Amino acid sequence: MSHSPRIRTVLSCALLVSALGVGTTACGSSDGHPLSAKPYDAAGQIAFNGPVGTQKADPDKPLEVTARGEDGRITDVTATDAQGRYLAGELAADGARWHSTAPLAAGARYTVRVSAEDEDGSPGRKVLTFDTGAPTKKKRLDVTFGPDSGKYGVGQPVTAKLSAKVKDKQARAIVERALKVDTQPATQGAWHWVDSETLHYRPKEYWPTGASISVRSNLEGIKVRDRLWGGSAKPLKLTIGDRIEAVTDAGSHYMTVYRNGEEINSMPVTTGKPGYSTRNGVKVVLGKEYSVRMTSASIGASDFYDKMVYYATRVTDSGEYVHAAPWSVGSQGYANTSHGCTGMSTSDAAWFYETVRQGDIVKVINSAGADMDPFGNGFGDWNVGWKNWRDGSALLGGVKKGPTALDAARLRPQV
């Protein structure tokens, strides 16, 4: 059967009619037009390799729909499971065969809507349903999102911790595609693989003030690789507060704090002395502790100290804080005398402690110290440029901009 330009015109009209939800007269009012007829039952024209009766499909095998004979062809196939997840697939140019290009979910019910046409261009429809069984051998890949649901600062990354290691790029792409981050307002962002068990998600710039973030996983039941199938994940909801940024200039010995771009305070500080210089770069507030015991043993300092410090705001896992240091008030604003923390007066530290929240930004400049590590010592994510961040994605690495063709949203006709 040849497929003339006339048939392609009929198909484009069919898509338009479906998208607009209007009658077939939108493409033509002739009673003899193929689209004016009620779609025929294409059951006799369609074959698929799914189960029969109460049997369940093997999720390890791809789904295939084929056109019988030479009197017609398949024009579209849409397969979704009960959770609304689309099964990616590919339709042959001649309309003779459609097959899935992504794994079926295990323990799921699928609805397959097939559109066809006969040799005259008349549209046919067939809806198929089937269940998939459990894989014979499997290990669950559960996902734990972080942080806890709540309100955070503009620098807070979203984290995803996996219960098993995923090293293969194709398997990583399956995982990453299933981890959904929805934001209001819409914000460009990407996942970055920190290691084989950890992903971080952040936007290109800091989160917008007042943004709402919803994180969920569509991985359950999806085959990731041999003997590894997607497991459960508790969804996560975050809201973003004001844009609080504290900039510590270790050269001038002052910290300036901004709210939504406007300066709200400037305070004299002392940072790390030679040998203990404070790390340069952007850090994210990890938490706050009213009192913390700090000792020389905790950082391996040669000079002994053992102090209780108050109004302590943590910015690294290794123990860097912004805190009250009443013993160094005489040096604050003039010299760097600490073992790496940012010290200030008790009143200033109390103000800072009450002003910032988890996820707010603390940036250190003009220090003689090393740069903040991107990962492994808190959240140094913002010290990674956007291109390099995207390169850490299994889906976006090497892509100039935007999602891959497979991930791009596309309109499909309702069948």
Side-chain angles (χ1 to χ4, degrees):
M1 178 183 69
S2 64
H3 304 299
S4 66
R6 176 187 61 80
I7 293 178
R8 288 194 291 271
T9 302
V10 169
L11 288 176
S12 64
C13 287
L15 293 174
L16 178 61
V17 170
S18 175
L20 297 178
V22 298
T24 57
T25 54
C27 288
S29 58
S30 171
D31 291 340
H33 197 287
L35 292 182
S36 65
K38 181 180 179 180
Y40 64 85
D41 183 355
Q45 187 180 339
I46 300 300
F48 91 117
N49 65 336
V52 178
T54 60
Q55 295 179 347
K56 294 184 177 181
D58 184 348
D60 279 320
K61 296 181 179 179
L63 177 66
E64 183 176 89
V65 181
T66 56
R68 290 174 172 167
E70 299 180 356
D71 295 335
R73 66 171 191 155
I74 300 168
T75 59
D76 189 54
V77 176
T78 302
T80 57
D81 67 9
Q83 297 185 39
R85 298 178 294 193
Y86 280 86
L87 179 65
E90 184 177 273
L91 179 62
D94 63 0
R97 175 178 176 266
W98 179 95
H99 69 282
S100 58
T101 56
L104 290 162
R109 166 158 288 193
Y110 278 91
T111 300
V112 184
R113 295 177 173 86
V114 184
S115 297
E117 67 176 9
D118 63 16
E119 59 184 356
D120 297 321
S122 297
R125 302 287 187 269
K126 180 60 180 176
V127 177
L128 310 164
T129 60
F130 66 94
D131 295 328
T132 57
T136 54
K137 296 180 180 179
K138 68 174 182 176
K139 180 178 180 180
R140 289 171 60 89
L141 181 67
D142 296 325
V143 183
T144 303
F145 292 122
D148 294 336
S149 293
K151 192 170 186 177
Y152 293 87
V154 297
Q156 179 64 50
V158 173
T159 64
K161 189 67 176 178
L162 308 180
S163 63
K165 293 182 178 180
V166 178
K167 297 180 179 180
D168 178 73
K169 184 175 181 180
Q170 184 176 359
R172 286 187 172 191
I174 292 171
V175 172
E176 191 176 326
R177 190 174 292 116
L179 303 182
K180 304 296 183 181
V181 181
D182 298 318
T183 62
Q184 292 293 334
T187 306
Q188 182 183 6
W191 288 103
H192 183 103
W193 286 81
V194 177
D195 55 43
S196 59
E197 298 173 283
T198 310
L199 297 88
H200 287 187
Y201 185 98
R202 50 154 270 212
K204 182 178 181 180
E205 307 292 344
Y206 297 141
W207 295 108
T209 297
S212 297
I213 305 164
S214 297
V215 188
R216 71 187 191 281
S217 171
N218 286 340
L219 194 60
E220 187 164 10
I222 297 296
K223 184 178 180 180
V224 178
R225 54 174 166 78
D226 287 345
R227 296 182 297 280
L228 184 63
W229 295 75
S232 63
K234 182 181 178 181
L236 173 68
K237 288 186 179 294
L238 307 178
T239 56
I240 302 300
D242 287 338
R243 178 168 174 156
I244 301 294
E245 300 171 85
V247 180
T248 300
D249 188 333
S252 67
H253 316 293
Y254 265 80
M255 172 190 280
T256 305
V257 183
Y258 302 87
R259 175 183 283 122
N260 300 327
E262 295 185 4
E263 181 179 331
I264 58 174
N265 206 346
S266 182
M267 302 165 286
V269 297
T270 183
T271 62
K273 61 187 178 181
Y276 301 96
S277 296
T278 306
R279 298 172 184 83
N280 282 297
V282 178
K283 304 156 193 177
V284 175
V285 172
L286 302 177
K288 300 187 293 184
E289 302 162 65
Y290 174 69
S291 62
V292 177
R293 183 184 179 189
M294 295 186 178
T295 69
S296 53
S298 64
I299 61 169
S302 57
D303 52 329
F304 175 81
Y305 66 90
D306 188 343
K307 295 179 182 292
M308 289 297 298
V309 301
Y310 295 90
Y311 300 111
T313 300
R314 181 187 282 268
V315 293
T316 72
D317 289 335
S318 62
E320 184 181 324
Y321 287 83
V322 177
H323 63 77
W327 56 85
S328 64
V329 168
S331 298
Q332 292 165 19
Y334 300 98
N336 292 324
T337 61
S338 82
H339 289 86
C341 291
T342 299
M344 56 184 62
S345 70
T346 299
S347 60
D348 284 343
W351 177 89
F352 187 78
Y353 184 92
E354 294 298 330
T355 300
V356 301
R357 62 163 49 93
Q358 188 173 338
D360 284 338
I361 298 299
V362 176
K363 183 178 182 180
V364 177
I365 60 174
N366 298 324
S367 172
D371 292 335
M372 173 68 177
D373 293 330
F375 309 109
N377 193 19
F379 292 125
D381 304 47
W382 299 102
N383 299 294
V384 180
W386 182 240
K387 180 183 182 301
N388 289 337
W389 184 270
R390 281 170 50 94
D391 286 344
S393 162
L395 296 176
L396 303 179
V399 179
K400 289 186 177 180
K401 58 185 261 185
T404 63
L406 184 59
D407 295 308
R410 63 191 183 98
L411 295 175
R412 305 197 66 136
Q414 297 296 319
V415 186

